[in-house]
Amino acid sequence: MTPGPELSIVIPAMNEEDNVQAMHDRLVAALETVVDGLEMVWIDDGSTDSTPEILQKFSEDDPRIRVLTQYGHQGYGLAIRRGFDAVRYMVVCLTDSDGQFDLRDIAKLYPFLADADMVGGIREDREDNWVRHRVSATYNWLQARILGLDVKDVNCALKLFRRSFLYMIDLSSEGFLIDAEIYARADRAGLRWAQVGVKHLPRVYGESKVHLGLAFSTLAKLWNLRRNL
């Protein structure tokens, strides 16, 4: 990424008190010298730990940061949709608050927006346990067959969009189906995407919010998504 672009970062968070400070510091270090305008939109999804207080302190100390709050756990997908609605700049990045991405890879994704409306990451050498690996592989296989999409890592939480992309799709998912819905609605709208390998890091603090029960529940919703497209 060369100096010039203005970039909005959308970051959903729930009970990530041990990660958000390091995540913030890495975002600033990776981006503030390579973009002319930077805003960070954090969405707290009903955290019960100190995540809300930490995020509030961020917004008080740095005018580039805005915090949106969902009272009660309303869902990962809804948090992302609210973040998308709030962005101000013409290039939008979506990432998670768990610290499992090298945020310098945003610069790696950016050039692909010259020919695409969205760039999705593909996690290389995934630093997850075998259960997460198996669930992810099964999910990617099923979404490809149910939705007819050629997406190698649908749930990779490092994506870059033209802001116009967000105007041209109508998202409705409230939970983890949101990633598949992004690709499915982009496909139906004739929008273009690229897929690029990105570095994946081990989770240092906290626990993943994805578990087997949630994964299987999301799989069942793929059929509903197909019917509603």
Side-chain angles (χ1 to χ4, degrees):
M1 187 181 295
T2 57
E6 295 176 322
L7 182 66
S8 297
I9 313 287
V10 173
I11 319 154
M14 186 182 76
N15 292 340
E16 294 285 3
E17 61 184 1
D18 294 322
N19 283 314
V20 291
Q21 182 65 61
M23 180 72 181
H24 166 72
D25 293 344
R26 288 168 58 197
L27 270 173
V28 171
L31 297 172
E32 70 174 355
T33 62
V34 295
V35 296
D36 285 343
L38 174 64
E39 71 165 355
M40 292 161 274
V41 181
W42 291 82
I43 310 94
D44 178 66
D45 185 24
S47 294
T48 56
D49 62 3
S50 63
T51 298
E53 289 76 21
I54 298 171
L55 295 182
Q56 181 61 34
K57 184 66 164 56
F58 286 172
S59 67
E60 293 171 355
D61 293 344
D62 190 336
R64 299 172 299 182
I65 294 174
R66 286 181 291 144
V67 179
L68 309 178
T69 301
Q70 297 189 163
Y71 295 99
H73 176 46
Q74 297 184 45
Y76 177 75
L78 185 57
I80 288 173
R81 287 162 50 203
R82 286 179 169 163
F84 284 166
D85 287 343
V87 296
R88 296 169 177 162
Y89 292 149
M90 301 308 293
V91 178
V92 180
C93 177
L94 170 65
T95 193
D96 276 348
S97 55
D98 56 14
Q100 288 197 259
F101 292 97
D102 184 342
L103 298 168
R104 292 172 297 183
D105 276 344
I106 294 172
K108 182 179 179 181
L109 301 184
Y110 181 80
F112 289 87
L113 285 180
D115 298 306
D117 302 291
M118 173 181 76
V119 188
I122 303 171
R123 287 166 284 190
E124 297 177 333
D125 301 320
R126 281 189 64 171
E127 294 284 354
D128 286 325
N129 61 41
W130 71 270
V131 174
R132 289 289 305 278
H133 274 276
R134 182 61 58 86
V135 169
S136 181
T138 301
Y139 186 78
N140 283 317
W141 185 85
L142 283 170
Q143 65 81 23
R145 279 144 188 83
I146 294 171
L147 300 177
L149 301 175
D150 180 19
V151 182
K152 294 181 174 62
D153 190 1
V154 68
N155 283 341
C156 178
L158 187 61
K159 296 181 175 74
L160 208 61
F161 308 88
R162 295 172 183 259
R163 189 178 175 189
S164 59
F165 176 98
L166 305 179
Y167 299 147
M168 298 176 71
I169 59 173
D170 186 16
L171 298 172
S172 60
S173 297
E174 296 184 357
F176 285 95
L177 187 68
I178 188 78
D179 287 295
E181 187 184 12
I182 286 171
Y183 280 104
R185 295 202 182 277
D187 182 65
R188 298 308 186 269
L191 300 175
R192 303 161 299 167
W193 67 73
Q195 300 175 77
V196 181
V198 295
K199 187 175 182 179
H200 194 239
L201 306 172
R203 179 184 264 272
V204 178
Y205 302 109
E207 297 180 351
S208 170
K209 308 305 183 293
V210 179
H211 52 77
L212 282 175
L214 180 61
F216 287 124
S217 171
T218 301
L219 288 175
K221 295 175 182 176
L222 282 170
W223 287 105
N224 289 330
L225 174 59
R226 176 176 171 171
R227 286 193 292 268
N228 293 329
L229 286 173

